[in-house]
Amino acid sequence: MKYPDVKNFIQGEFATSDSQRFLKVESPLDGSVIAQVVMSSSEDLNKAVLSAKAAQKNWEKVPIKERVQVFFRYKQLLKKNVDALSNLIVEENGKTFGEAKAEIEKAIELTEFACALPQLVAGEVLEVSKGVECRIEHWPVGVVASIVPFNFPSMVPHWTLCNAIALGNALIMKPSEVVPISCQRIASLLKEAGLPDGVFSIVNGDKEMVEAICDHPGIDAVSFVGSTKVAKLVYTRASSHFKRVLALGGAKNHLIVLPDAHPEMTGSNVAASMSGCAGQRCMAASALVAVGQTDHIIEKICEESRKIIPGKNLGAVISAQAKKRIEQYITEAEQQGAKILVDGRGAKVEGKENGYYVGPTVIDFVKPEMAVAREEIFGPVISIIRSRSLEEALAIENNNPYGNAAAVFTQSGGLARQVMENASAGMIGVNIGVPVPREPFSFGGWNESKFGTGDITGKSSIEFWTKLKKITVKWNPESRTNWMS
Ligand code: NAD
């Protein structure tokens, strides 16, 4: 196999497991098996937790200004290795080199934010009564776990690891078993940057390991990113053990296109949003609500979509099963009377005939009750629902159970404002198809796209990764006192 066995990372070393259960890692580019990953035992998790617990006690005593020095060095290592790290993502996930590189660039931005954390957690102090001072300090939660999905093998792990560790926690990562190789490189680079052993660990596995993490008494907080079905399971299970939990789920992002939208810009933005990373983004445009006479804009969307060629500027979807599922959604919509304007079914790439490719697909005259309008497809597909008014379009958007992102395309400030106020989503775009907030703003959806309070990145994540200590101090007994002293 092209890559060595994917191992756990415990106490600063790649560790073998007593488990005999392995899964094959396939490259979606051509279906070849490139590695195998161990499905760890509960004993492996115990070892990781013990090591993390001991390391965390020392790590929290290191002043934060010193802790973040590791991330200053780590950022340089990410920059130095950007091409190799990107190529690895291409191979294990199937995205294009440009998309993979953007993922590493985002990981660098997340690392930079962590480097700035000392400026944001300075705490507060106030003389609350004569001679009496109250102060607030941020303390780490302890040993924390991060469970991540397949679609961003490097960026999503960086959403949690940089901030959690810089804030004094020890983090145990459970990579996606589908794309576990990138996390191996992350572990090596963190070690090279000088992170003490045990502060970052990896325990590979699938459903069983996720359940073991939720149940383990030595883990104080669990963050999860993945589908809504599993987010709900993780939220419920880990909360039942009184852990702090933040679980991000799936999405069905609606774009509302108004007749006055700039046709070229809307065409290219919508096509890029629905097909970027082969539509396997929780921020991808998935349903487009076209208000009134918008045929000229839909034509532009189709024109731009036809320029997106599988194997050239469009990557593969993650598995044969995913390809089949996506194509079934398209066929079912067609059978129910929707019109396929651009058809990505049966895409083949020369020389990569065994790769899992689906071309960009634009489906028009979709009814809100059809599966393509309601469910997360997670492929390069956009479903167009025609509507008569902005009110009706907003009702369609509000009616979907998810709430990650929503966007409006218009040149009218007043109409954009209506969408900003009334769309039921955590992240809103105006003339932007993928409205990911950049640091220091935080990332997180609403409704069935997120369970738990606060967001997973940016300033909001500080609350999740720390607990507040409130200290009241009086030193001078001779000082004049009042009733609060
Ligand atoms: P997934 O839910 O299948 O898997 C996510 C993690 O959960 C993996 O580590 C996996 O091992 C584990 N898992 C899978 N099934 C499980 C089960 N039954 N019990 C316990 N653990 C289980 O998600 P995925 O297919 O890897 O990723 C795609 C999904 O992630 C999409 O729904 C996408 O929208 C979502 N996602 C959301 C965000 C966000 O920010 N909201 C970001 C990225 C991806």
Side-chain angles (χ1 to χ4, degrees), residues 27-82:
S27 173
L29 296 175
D30 57 8
S32 62
V33 176
I34 53 174
Q36 65 170 1
V37 54
V38 67
M39 297 295 101
S40 313
S41 64
S42 53
E43 193 39 42
D44 295 324
L45 181 62
N46 285 340
K47 282 184 199 157
V49 172
L50 274 179
S51 150
K53 230 180 177 52
Q56 196 272 329
K57 283 284 152 247
N58 296 326
W59 184 238
E60 73 174 15
K61 293 193 184 84
V62 177
I64 187 166
K65 272 172 160 303
E66 283 174 41
R67 288 199 299 255
V68 299
Q69 295 311 313
V70 171
F71 288 100
F72 278 103
R73 294 190 290 271
Y74 180 66
K75 178 196 158 176
Q76 294 310 324
L77 292 172
L78 286 177
K79 283 182 87 165
K80 196 171 126 193
N81 290 284
V82 66

Coordinates of all heavy atoms in Angstrom, one line a residue, residues 27-82:
S27 N -8.7 5.7 -2.2 CA -8.6 7.1 -2.8 C -9.8 7.2 -3.7 O -10.0 6.4 -4.6 CB -7.3 7.2 -3.6 OG -7.4 8.4 -4.3
P28 N -10.6 8.2 -3.5 CA -11.8 8.4 -4.4 C -11.4 8.7 -5.8 O -12.2 8.6 -6.7 CB -12.5 9.6 -3.8 CG -12.0 9.8 -2.4 CD -10.6 9.3 -2.5
L29 N -10.1 9.1 -6.0 CA -9.7 9.5 -7.4 C -9.8 8.3 -8.3 O -10.1 8.4 -9.5 CB -8.3 10.0 -7.4 CG -8.1 11.3 -6.6 CD1 -6.6 11.6 -6.5 CD2 -8.8 12.5 -7.2
D30 N -9.4 7.1 -7.8 CA -9.4 5.9 -8.7 C -9.8 4.6 -8.0 O -9.7 3.5 -8.5 CB -8.0 5.7 -9.3 CG -6.9 5.6 -8.2 OD1 -7.3 5.5 -7.0 OD2 -5.8 5.6 -8.6
G31 N -10.3 4.8 -6.8 CA -10.8 3.6 -6.0 C -9.7 2.7 -5.5 O -10.0 1.7 -4.9
S32 N -8.5 3.1 -5.6 CA -7.4 2.2 -5.1 C -7.3 2.3 -3.6 O -7.6 3.3 -3.0 CB -6.1 2.6 -5.8 OG -5.7 3.9 -5.4
V33 N -6.8 1.2 -3.0 CA -6.6 1.2 -1.5 C -5.3 1.7 -1.3 O -4.3 1.2 -1.8 CB -6.8 -0.3 -1.0 CG1 -6.5 -0.3 0.5 CG2 -8.2 -0.8 -1.3
I34 N -5.2 2.8 -0.5 CA -3.9 3.4 -0.2 C -3.3 3.2 1.2 O -2.2 3.5 1.4 CB -4.0 5.0 -0.5 CG1 -5.1 5.6 0.3 CG2 -4.1 5.2 -2.0 CD1 -5.1 7.2 0.1
A35 N -4.2 2.7 2.1 CA -3.7 2.5 3.4 C -4.7 1.6 4.2 O -5.8 1.4 3.6 CB -3.5 3.8 4.2
Q36 N -4.4 1.3 5.4 CA -5.4 0.7 6.3 C -5.3 1.4 7.6 O -4.2 1.8 8.1 CB -5.3 -0.8 6.4 CG -4.0 -1.3 7.0 CD -4.1 -2.8 7.3 OE1 -5.1 -3.5 7.0 NE2 -3.1 -3.3 7.9
V37 N -6.5 1.5 8.3 CA -6.5 2.2 9.6 C -7.1 1.3 10.6 O -8.1 0.6 10.4 CB -7.3 3.5 9.4 CG1 -8.7 3.3 8.9 CG2 -7.4 4.3 10.8
V38 N -6.5 1.4 11.8 CA -6.9 0.5 12.9 C -8.2 1.1 13.6 O -8.3 2.3 13.7 CB -5.7 0.4 13.9 CG1 -5.5 1.7 14.7 CG2 -6.0 -0.7 14.9
M39 N -9.1 0.2 13.9 CA -10.3 0.5 14.7 C -9.9 0.2 16.1 O -10.0 -1.0 16.6 CB -11.5 -0.3 14.2 CG -11.9 0.0 12.8 SD -12.5 1.7 12.5 CE -11.0 2.5 11.7
S40 N -9.5 1.2 16.9 CA -8.9 1.0 18.2 C -9.8 0.4 19.2 O -11.1 0.4 19.1 CB -8.5 2.4 18.7 OG -7.8 3.1 17.7
S41 N -9.2 -0.1 20.3 CA -9.9 -0.8 21.3 C -10.2 0.3 22.4 O -9.6 1.3 22.5 CB -9.1 -1.9 21.9 OG -7.9 -1.4 22.5
S42 N -11.0 -0.1 23.4 CA -11.3 0.8 24.5 C -10.0 1.0 25.4 O -9.8 2.0 26.0 CB -12.5 0.3 25.4 OG -12.2 -1.0 25.8
E43 N -9.2 0.0 25.3 CA -7.9 0.1 26.1 C -7.0 1.2 25.5 O -6.3 1.9 26.2 CB -7.2 -1.3 26.0 CG -6.0 -1.5 27.0 CD -6.2 -0.8 28.3 OE1 -7.3 -0.9 28.9 OE2 -5.2 -0.2 28.8
D44 N -7.0 1.3 24.1 CA -6.3 2.4 23.5 C -6.8 3.7 24.0 O -6.0 4.6 24.2 CB -6.5 2.3 21.9 CG -5.8 1.0 21.4 OD1 -4.8 0.6 21.9 OD2 -6.4 0.5 20.4
L45 N -8.1 3.8 24.1 CA -8.7 5.1 24.5 C -8.3 5.4 26.0 O -7.9 6.5 26.3 CB -10.2 5.1 24.4 CG -10.9 6.4 24.8 CD1 -10.4 7.6 24.0 CD2 -12.4 6.3 24.7
N46 N -8.3 4.3 26.8 CA -7.9 4.5 28.2 C -6.4 5.0 28.3 O -6.1 6.0 29.0 CB -7.9 3.2 28.9 CG -9.3 2.7 29.3 OD1 -10.2 3.6 29.3 ND2 -9.5 1.5 29.5
K47 N -5.6 4.5 27.4 CA -4.2 4.9 27.4 C -4.1 6.4 27.0 O -3.3 7.1 27.6 CB -3.3 4.1 26.4 CG -3.0 2.7 27.0 CD -2.1 2.0 25.9 CE -2.1 0.5 26.1 NZ -1.7 -0.3 24.9
A48 N -4.8 6.7 26.0 CA -4.8 8.1 25.5 C -5.3 9.1 26.6 O -4.7 10.1 26.8 CB -5.6 8.2 24.2
V49 N -6.3 8.7 27.3 CA -6.9 9.6 28.3 C -5.9 9.7 29.5 O -5.7 10.8 29.9 CB -8.3 9.0 28.8 CG1 -8.8 9.8 30.0 CG2 -9.3 9.1 27.6
L50 N -5.3 8.6 29.9 CA -4.4 8.7 31.0 C -3.2 9.6 30.6 O -2.8 10.5 31.4 CB -3.8 7.3 31.3 CG -4.6 6.4 32.3 CD1 -4.0 5.1 32.4 CD2 -4.8 7.2 33.6
S51 N -2.7 9.4 29.4 CA -1.5 10.3 29.0 C -2.0 11.7 28.9 O -1.3 12.7 29.3 CB -1.0 9.7 27.6 OG -0.5 10.8 26.9
A52 N -3.2 12.0 28.3 CA -3.7 13.3 28.2 C -3.9 14.0 29.5 O -3.6 15.2 29.7 CB -5.0 13.3 27.4
K53 N -4.4 13.2 30.5 CA -4.7 13.8 31.8 C -3.4 14.3 32.5 O -3.4 15.4 33.0 CB -5.3 12.7 32.7 CG -6.6 13.2 33.3 CD -7.3 12.1 34.2 CE -8.5 12.7 34.9 NZ -9.4 13.3 34.1
A54 N -2.4 13.4 32.4 CA -1.1 13.8 33.1 C -0.5 15.0 32.4 O 0.0 16.0 33.0 CB -0.2 12.6 33.0
A55 N -0.5 15.0 31.0 CA 0.1 16.1 30.3 C -0.7 17.4 30.5 O -0.1 18.5 30.6 CB 0.1 15.7 28.8
Q56 N -2.0 17.3 30.6 CA -2.8 18.5 30.7 C -2.5 19.3 32.0 O -2.5 20.5 32.1 CB -4.3 18.2 30.6 CG -5.2 19.4 30.4 CD -5.7 20.1 31.6 OE1 -5.8 19.4 32.7 NE2 -5.9 21.4 31.5
K57 N -2.3 18.5 33.1 CA -2.0 19.1 34.4 C -0.7 20.1 34.3 O -0.7 21.1 34.9 CB -1.7 18.1 35.4 CG -3.0 17.4 35.9 CD -3.7 18.3 36.9 CE -5.2 18.1 36.9 NZ -6.1 19.1 36.4
N58 N 0.3 19.6 33.5 CA 1.5 20.5 33.4 C 1.2 21.6 32.3 O 1.6 22.7 32.5 CB 2.6 19.6 32.9 CG 3.0 18.6 33.9 OD1 2.9 18.9 35.1 ND2 3.5 17.4 33.5
W59 N 0.5 21.2 31.3 CA 0.3 22.2 30.2 C -0.5 23.4 30.7 O -0.2 24.5 30.3 CB -0.5 21.4 29.0 CG -0.7 22.2 27.8 CD1 -2.0 22.4 27.2 CD2 0.2 22.8 26.9 NE1 -1.8 23.1 26.1 CE2 -0.5 23.4 25.8 CE3 1.6 22.9 26.9 CZ2 0.2 24.1 24.8 CZ3 2.3 23.6 25.9 CH2 1.5 24.2 24.9
E60 N -1.5 23.2 31.5 CA -2.3 24.3 32.0 C -1.5 25.3 32.8 O -1.9 26.4 33.0 CB -3.6 23.9 32.7 CG -3.4 23.3 34.1 CD -4.7 23.0 34.8 OE1 -5.7 23.0 34.2 OE2 -4.6 22.9 36.1
K61 N -0.4 24.8 33.4 CA 0.5 25.7 34.2 C 1.4 26.5 33.4 O 2.0 27.5 33.9 CB 1.3 24.8 35.2 CG 0.4 24.1 36.2 CD 1.3 23.5 37.3 CE 0.4 22.7 38.3 NZ 0.2 21.3 37.9
V62 N 1.5 26.2 32.1 CA 2.4 27.0 31.2 C 1.6 28.3 30.9 O 0.5 28.2 30.4 CB 2.7 26.2 29.9 CG1 3.6 27.0 29.0 CG2 3.4 24.9 30.3
P63 N 2.2 29.4 31.1 CA 1.4 30.7 30.7 C 1.0 30.6 29.2 O 1.8 30.2 28.4 CB 2.4 31.8 31.0 CG 3.4 31.2 31.9 CD 3.5 29.7 31.6
I64 N -0.2 31.2 29.0 CA -0.7 31.1 27.6 C 0.2 31.7 26.6 O 0.4 31.3 25.4 CB -2.1 31.7 27.5 CG1 -2.7 31.4 26.1 CG2 -2.2 33.1 27.9 CD1 -4.2 31.6 26.0
K65 N 0.9 32.8 27.0 CA 1.8 33.4 26.0 C 2.9 32.5 25.6 O 3.4 32.5 24.5 CB 2.5 34.7 26.6 CG 1.6 35.9 26.4 CD 2.2 37.1 27.2 CE 1.9 38.4 26.8 NZ 2.1 38.8 25.4
E66 N 3.3 31.6 26.5 CA 4.3 30.5 26.1 C 3.7 29.4 25.4 O 4.2 28.9 24.4 CB 5.0 30.0 27.4 CG 6.0 30.9 28.0 CD 6.6 30.4 29.3 OE1 6.8 29.2 29.4 OE2 6.7 31.2 30.2
R67 N 2.4 29.0 25.8 CA 1.8 27.9 25.1 C 1.6 28.2 23.6 O 1.8 27.4 22.7 CB 0.4 27.7 25.7 CG 0.4 27.0 27.0 CD -0.9 26.4 27.4 NE -2.0 27.3 27.4 CZ -2.6 27.7 28.5 NH1 -2.2 27.4 29.7 NH2 -3.7 28.6 28.5
V68 N 1.3 29.5 23.3 CA 1.0 29.8 21.8 C 2.3 29.8 21.0 O 2.2 29.8 19.8 CB 0.2 31.1 21.6 CG1 -1.2 30.9 22.3 CG2 0.9 32.3 22.1
Q69 N 3.4 29.8 21.7 CA 4.7 29.8 20.9 C 4.8 28.5 20.0 O 5.3 28.5 18.9 CB 5.9 29.9 21.8 CG 6.0 31.2 22.6 CD 5.9 32.5 21.7 OE1 6.5 32.5 20.6 NE2 5.0 33.4 22.1
V70 N 4.2 27.5 20.6 CA 4.1 26.2 19.8 C 3.4 26.5 18.5 O 3.8 26.0 17.4 CB 3.4 25.1 20.6 CG1 3.2 23.9 19.7 CG2 4.2 24.7 21.8
F71 N 2.3 27.2 18.5 CA 1.5 27.5 17.3 C 2.2 28.4 16.4 O 2.0 28.4 15.2 CB 0.1 27.9 17.7 CG -0.7 26.7 18.2 CD1 -0.8 26.5 19.6 CD2 -1.1 25.7 17.4 CE1 -1.5 25.4 20.1 CE2 -1.8 24.6 17.9 CZ -1.9 24.4 19.2
F72 N 3.0 29.4 16.9 CA 3.8 30.2 16.0 C 4.7 29.3 15.1 O 4.9 29.5 13.9 CB 4.6 31.2 16.8 CG 3.8 32.5 17.2 CD1 3.4 32.6 18.5 CD2 3.5 33.5 16.2 CE1 2.7 33.8 18.8 CE2 2.8 34.6 16.6 CZ 2.4 34.8 17.9
R73 N 5.4 28.4 15.8 CA 6.3 27.5 15.1 C 5.5 26.5 14.2 O 5.9 26.2 13.1 CB 7.1 26.6 16.1 CG 8.1 27.5 16.9 CD 9.1 26.6 17.7 NE 8.5 25.9 18.8 CZ 8.3 26.4 20.0 NH1 8.8 27.6 20.4 NH2 7.7 25.6 21.0
Y74 N 4.4 26.1 14.7 CA 3.5 25.1 13.9 C 3.0 25.8 12.6 O 3.0 25.2 11.5 CB 2.3 24.7 14.8 CG 1.4 23.7 14.1 CD1 1.8 22.4 13.8 CD2 0.1 24.1 13.8 CE1 0.9 21.6 13.1 CE2 -0.8 23.2 13.2 CZ -0.4 22.0 12.9 OH -1.3 21.1 12.2
K75 N 2.7 27.1 12.7 CA 2.3 27.8 11.5 C 3.3 27.7 10.4 O 3.1 27.5 9.2 CB 1.9 29.2 11.8 CG 1.5 30.0 10.6 CD 1.5 31.5 10.8 CE 1.6 32.2 9.5 NZ 1.5 33.6 9.5
Q76 N 4.6 28.0 10.8 CA 5.7 27.9 9.9 C 5.8 26.6 9.2 O 6.1 26.4 8.0 CB 7.0 28.3 10.5 CG 7.1 29.8 11.0 CD 6.6 30.8 10.0 OE1 6.9 30.6 8.8 NE2 5.9 31.8 10.4
L77 N 5.6 25.5 10.0 CA 5.7 24.2 9.5 C 4.6 23.9 8.5 O 4.8 23.2 7.5 CB 5.7 23.1 10.6 CG 6.9 23.2 11.6 CD1 6.7 22.3 12.8 CD2 8.1 22.7 10.8
L78 N 3.4 24.4 8.8 CA 2.3 24.2 7.8 C 2.6 24.9 6.5 O 2.4 24.3 5.4 CB 1.0 24.8 8.4 CG 0.2 24.0 9.5 CD1 -1.0 24.8 10.0 CD2 -0.2 22.7 9.1
K79 N 3.2 26.1 6.6 CA 3.5 26.8 5.4 C 4.6 26.1 4.6 O 4.6 26.0 3.4 CB 4.1 28.2 5.8 CG 2.9 29.2 6.1 CD 3.4 30.6 6.4 CE 3.5 31.4 5.2 NZ 3.7 32.8 5.5
K80 N 5.6 25.6 5.3 CA 6.7 24.9 4.7 C 6.2 23.6 3.9 O 6.7 23.2 2.9 CB 7.7 24.5 5.8 CG 9.1 24.1 5.2 CD 10.1 24.0 6.4 CE 10.7 22.6 6.4 NZ 11.4 22.3 7.6
N81 N 5.2 23.0 4.5 CA 4.7 21.7 4.0 C 3.4 21.8 3.2 O 2.8 20.8 3.0 CB 4.5 20.7 5.1 CG 5.8 20.3 5.8 OD1 6.6 19.5 5.2 ND2 6.2 20.9 6.9
V82 N 3.1 23.0 2.8 CA 1.7 23.2 2.2 C 1.5 22.3 1.0 O 0.4 21.7 0.9 CB 1.5 24.7 1.9 CG1 2.3 25.2 0.9 CG2 0.0 24.9 1.6

